Amino acid sequence: MKSCLVVDDSKVIRKVARHILETLDYSVREAGDGREALDACIAETPDIILLDWNMPVMNGMDFLRALRETDLPKRPKVVFCTTENGMAYIRAAIEAGADEYVMKPFDRETIESKLQIVGMA
């Protein structure tokens, strides 16, 4: 079973993403901010990370940079899930190492297609 870490400061978004991912046969863990997510990745590296941009403590971009500097046994795929939709945001996310980008609100079909694009479906 593939594993996913859902990183979002919104409990509702985490719950929706968890439900979608579990119906796609993923084991799901959650983190409320980037610091918590980094600790979770070090403890057990997921196959894929759904990552929010705007969070307290450590935002998505800072988490992504920190993740790239961490010596993990494997590199998880990262899909940014955010309300930020400007081309500058998308470009910055991809340049920082994100594999894909999805706009909120998202649905099962959108998540499933992004998982296919990054080779995780």
Side-chain angles (χ1 to χ4, degrees):
M1 180 179 275
K2 291 188 181 101
S3 61
C4 182
L5 178 63
V6 178
V7 186
D8 201 299
D9 56 327
S10 165
K11 199 175 273 190
V12 172
I13 296 292
R14 291 196 312 264
K15 185 177 180 179
V16 168
R18 172 183 284 276
H19 175 73
I20 291 168
L21 289 157
E22 286 177 344
T23 66
L24 297 170
D25 290 327
Y26 275 80
S27 69
V28 180
R29 291 182 299 148
E30 299 177 21
D33 62 60
R35 179 78 255 162
E36 201 180 306
L38 197 56
D39 292 344
C41 287
I42 291 166
E44 185 182 338
T45 308
D47 294 310
I48 189 164
I49 300 168
L50 289 186
L51 180 62
D52 185 24
W53 191 298
N54 299 304
M55 296 178 290
V57 184
M58 180 188 278
N59 70 30
M61 285 297 282
D62 289 342
F63 163 78
L64 193 53
R65 288 185 194 105
L67 181 70
R68 297 297 176 241
E69 293 170 7
T70 305
D71 186 28
L72 298 175
K74 61 181 177 178
R75 181 187 173 277
K77 298 287 186 184
V78 176
V79 177
F80 255 113
C81 294
T82 182
T83 55
E84 303 294 356
N85 64 357
M87 279 309 296
Y89 284 100
I90 296 168
R91 191 176 309 108
I94 300 300
E95 285 172 2
D99 297 286
E100 223 359 286
Y101 201 94
V102 65
M103 293 301 303
K104 289 180 186 174
F106 51 80
D107 58 16
R108 185 181 193 276
E109 196 176 289
T110 304
I111 294 296
E112 198 168 11
S113 74
K114 295 298 180 179
L115 292 173
Q116 286 173 347
I117 289 168
V118 300
M120 298 301 288

